[in-house]
Amino acid sequence: MGGYGLSKAALTAYTLQQAAAHPNLTITSLSPGYIKTAMTAGSGARLTPEQGTVSMMRCLFGEVTSGYYYGSDALRSPMTVTRDPGTPEYGGEENPDAATYNR
């Protein structure tokens, strides 16, 4: 696992720990997606900065569950496999099948 993946694993662990430690708060983690900016120019980023706020807006103002991870389309995503935007929302199964959540 590279540095990026390791940082995401650490964030996930921290989210779970904080949610358990502070049950009176709603603690989530989210992905804005791969956003088109000057820094990502030419690297295949497709989402506008406005599109990158979808998940954040749901976590701030919508119905969410503490300790969950929300993908760039604002749907709950598994923490053990990737989930592409546009695929079904993670249903909480113990061993999610990556084929279900990836195109």
Side-chain angles (χ1 to χ4, degrees):
M1 177 184 300
Y4 182 80
L6 185 58
S7 73
K8 298 302 146 198
L11 177 61
T12 296
Y14 190 62
T15 298
L16 292 169
Q17 186 273 327
Q18 290 295 298
H22 303 285
N24 57 322
L25 299 176
T26 301
I27 312 288
T28 63
S29 58
L30 61 93
S31 171
Y34 197 32
I35 309 300
K36 286 189 286 188
T37 64
M39 190 167 81
T40 61
S43 64
R46 290 179 255 171
L47 298 175
T48 66
E50 293 79 14
Q51 290 170 313
T53 67
V54 171
S55 190
M56 181 183 357
M57 295 300 282
R58 178 176 180 192
C59 287
L60 287 171
F61 303 112
E63 291 294 320
V64 294
T65 301
S66 195
Y68 285 4
Y69 170 76
Y70 293 88
S72 63
D73 57 358
L75 298 180
R76 181 181 177 201
S77 296
M79 294 189 183
T80 56
V81 299
T82 60
R83 189 189 67 76
D84 292 335
T87 60
E89 185 165 27
Y90 174 56
E93 62 272 18
E94 189 172 321
N95 294 305
D97 179 11
T100 302
Y101 300 107
N102 292 275
R103 295 182 191 177

